[in-house]
Amino acid sequence: MVKSLLEAFEGQTRAHANMAKALREAEIGKQLSELDKSKLVITPAAKELIHDIAIELDEKQAEKFWQLMQHMHTSQSFLVELGERAGSGVKYGRDKSASQVFGERTSELVTKGMTYPDAVEQVAREDPKLYDEYRNENFSFKA
């Protein structure tokens, strides 16, 4: 009788562990899919790494981890790129392309009486990062 009770208990324990694991996998899948509901999506390799980390965390750690992931994904102030590369490809918070912004600023100066070449030179001098982005968009030479 004791043996059969122990076997039943072990069976229930295994079933409970399997259900807990399946529930955990479903929760991780749900969290990962919520991170992909914007213009920014997470690469499959990053998703796999996130999954591997999340599966090892306890409930309290997992909650903090998902808060961190959500903040990383939605906050433009979470990471700030420094150095020369910062202006060359990543555009934080700008709705218009560099060509559009550069053209608008140049047009403003031309309507105020400045010649086009002088306006281009002034805009480029005032905002060298914008000028670099403008050049990268319009004059990328491929050998």
Side-chain angles (χ1 to χ4, degrees):
M1 174 113 170
V2 172
K3 183 178 177 182
S4 65
L5 284 173
L6 285 174
E7 288 173 357
F9 179 72
E10 288 173 358
Q12 287 178 343
T13 303
R14 279 192 299 273
H16 177 70
N18 288 339
M19 288 186 350
K21 184 178 180 183
L23 183 61
R24 182 99 168 151
E25 291 282 347
E27 181 64 26
I28 291 171
K30 178 184 164 224
Q31 293 285 358
L32 285 172
S33 68
E34 285 181 16
L35 290 176
D36 282 344
K37 291 184 178 178
S38 71
K39 291 182 181 180
L40 297 173
V41 294
I42 298 172
T43 65
K47 281 183 184 180
E48 189 175 321
L49 181 61
I50 291 168
H51 174 273
D52 292 347
I53 292 170
I55 201 76
E56 298 294 325
L57 301 175
D58 64 34
E59 249 182 77
K60 187 176 180 182
Q61 292 170 330
E63 184 178 329
K64 289 180 181 180
F65 176 74
W66 289 116
Q67 287 174 353
L68 173 68
M69 292 303 301
Q70 191 66 34
H71 186 68
M72 281 177 56
H73 193 66
T74 59
S75 176
Q76 291 183 355
S77 63
F78 188 81
L79 298 172
V80 177
E81 190 170 0
L82 302 174
E84 292 181 24
R85 184 175 160 255
S88 65
V90 181
K91 297 172 191 73
Y92 298 107
R94 186 187 298 156
D95 293 335
K96 299 179 181 180
S97 71
S99 296
Q100 290 170 320
V101 174
F102 193 84
E104 288 172 1
R105 289 186 185 174
T106 303
S107 295
E108 284 177 27
L109 295 174
V110 169
T111 57
K112 292 178 181 176
M114 191 177 281
T115 65
Y116 180 77
D118 290 339
V120 169
E121 186 177 335
Q122 181 172 335
V123 172
R125 194 173 347 138
E126 289 175 354
D127 196 343
K129 287 183 181 180
L130 175 65
Y131 181 63
D132 287 341
E133 291 174 13
Y134 167 78
R135 284 188 1 212
N136 287 337
E137 287 178 9
N138 293 292
F139 305 109
S140 56
F141 297 104
K142 296 180 176 120

